[in-house]
């Protein structure tokens, strides 16, 4: 018996080609995505990599996304390759224009580097969100549509706006700590299948009773 969709499929539901499991279409080694995380875009859900911009292997930064994330259309992950040097008189990138200006090519250490961009598990990101380099978004967080995320978002918090700010916690601290300990996204497919009602219930006490 199959307990849910095939995590290795490109389209978990063949009738809905706007939803694609990202892990099964990425080709860049510096993009790492967990199982069941999907991108929803009627104009090409399988072209998720186009939404990860300024991502160059020689810089070495990674985009890491956990399991069971829901990412809406219009997402853009801006990576460290978009950065310009800021300690000089001008931020203008003369070097990429060529024609003799390449002699101004900066050393990598002269460019801002924010590190890897890390999205946790069970994160919901609304439409037309921009995530800036080096941001960490915690497990269970929700990012409102049209937000620009330039700072970290803690687990199980709702954030939104430009610049993105914390709106509120989803749950109290005790439940957040319990959920971070349970890590339901790491359960085997059969256990998730058997506990769908608890995972989707408005009664937040049920989840704690699962062994």
């Amino acid at each position: 018996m199959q307990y849910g969709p095939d995590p290795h499929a490109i389209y978990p539901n063949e009738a809905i080609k706007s939803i694609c499991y990202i892990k099964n279409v990425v080709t860049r080694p510096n993009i790492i995505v967990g199982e069941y995380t999907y991108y929803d875009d009627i104009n090409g859900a399988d072209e998720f990599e186009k939404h990860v911009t300024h991502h160059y292997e020689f810089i070495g930064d990674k985009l890491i996304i956990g399991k069971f994330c829901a990412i809406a259309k219009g997402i853009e992950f801006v990576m460290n390759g978009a950065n310009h040097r800021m300690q000089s008189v001008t931020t203008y990138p003369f070097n990429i224009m060529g024609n003799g200006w390449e002699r101004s090519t900066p050393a990598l250490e002269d460019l801002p580097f924010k590190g890897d961009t890390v999205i946790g598990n069970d994160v919901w990101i609304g439409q037309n969100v921009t995530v800036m380099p080096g941001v960490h978004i915690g497990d269970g967080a929700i990012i409102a549509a049209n937000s620009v995320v330039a700072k970290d978002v803690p687990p199980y918090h709702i954030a939104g706006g430009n610049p993105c700010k914390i709106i509120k916690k989803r749950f109290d601290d005790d439940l957040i700590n319990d959920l971070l300990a349970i890590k339901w996204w790491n359960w085997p497919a059969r256990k998730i299948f058997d506990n769908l009602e608890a995972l989707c219930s408005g009664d937040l006490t049920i989840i704690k009773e699962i062994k």
Side-chain angles (χ1 to χ4, degrees), residues 84-143:
H84 295 206
R85 57 184 157 200
M86 296 189 291
Q87 77 277 20
S88 53
V89 171
T90 180
T91 61
Y92 190 84
F94 287 97
N95 57 295
I96 66 174
M97 307 304 167
N99 297 287
W101 281 0
E102 60 272 11
R103 66 187 177 90
S104 69
T105 300
L108 282 179
E109 57 266 25
D110 292 333
L111 297 172
F113 183 79
K114 303 293 186 179
D116 295 337
T117 299
V118 181
I119 312 301
N121 305 280
D122 190 23
V123 174
W124 174 22
I125 299 179
Q127 293 185 6
N128 303 314
V129 168
T130 299
V131 180
M132 300 304 288
V135 164
H136 288 210
I137 298 176
D139 297 328
I142 298 173
I143 308 299

Side-chain angles (χ1 to χ4, degrees), residues 6-153:
D6 180 359
H8 305 294
I10 293 177
Y11 304 106
N13 185 339
E14 286 291 336
I16 307 175
K17 292 297 180 69
S18 64
I19 293 180
C20 170
Y21 279 164
I22 300 171
K23 180 178 182 178
N24 305 320
V25 297
V26 295
T27 62
R28 300 184 208 166
N30 47 358
I31 299 178
I32 301 167
V33 184
E35 292 182 341
Y36 301 102
T37 284
Y38 72 83
Y39 177 54
D40 182 357
D41 190 340
I42 197 170
N43 296 315
D46 59 342
E47 298 180 337
F48 172 80
E49 285 181 315
K50 291 183 177 180
H51 301 271
V52 185
T53 63
H54 306 90
H55 201 195
Y56 310 120
E57 286 192 30
F58 68 88
I59 292 179
D61 55 342
K62 294 181 175 64
L63 171 61
I64 302 170
I65 305 175
K67 300 177 181 179
F68 290 95
C69 293
I71 302 176
K73 68 178 181 179
I75 185 70
E76 182 174 5
F77 291 98
V78 181
M79 304 302 286
N80 285 281
N83 287 324
H84 295 206
R85 57 184 157 200
M86 296 189 291
Q87 77 277 20
S88 53
V89 171
T90 180
T91 61
Y92 190 84
F94 287 97
N95 57 295
I96 66 174
M97 307 304 167
N99 297 287
W101 281 0
E102 60 272 11
R103 66 187 177 90
S104 69
T105 300
L108 282 179
E109 57 266 25
D110 292 333
L111 297 172
F113 183 79
K114 303 293 186 179
D116 295 337
T117 299
V118 181
I119 312 301
N121 305 280
D122 190 23
V123 174
W124 174 22
I125 299 179
Q127 293 185 6
N128 303 314
V129 168
T130 299
V131 180
M132 300 304 288
V135 164
H136 288 210
I137 298 176
D139 297 328
I142 298 173
I143 308 299
N146 302 306
S147 298
V148 176
V149 190
K151 293 184 178 180
D152 293 353
V153 177

Side-chain angles (χ1 to χ4, degrees), residues 157-176:
H157 281 60
I158 300 172
N162 181 7
C164 191
K165 296 181 179 179
I166 303 301
I167 298 172
K168 65 177 182 179
K169 295 178 183 179
R170 291 183 60 193
F171 311 119
D172 63 41
D173 288 340
D174 287 342
L175 180 55
I176 289 174

Side-chain angles (χ1 to χ4, degrees), residues 186-205:
N186 288 334
W187 290 352
R190 172 65 186 270
K191 186 172 182 179
I192 291 174
F193 183 85
D194 288 344
N195 291 283
L196 284 175
E197 287 75 13
L199 288 168
C200 299
S201 173
D203 183 349
L204 301 175
T205 63

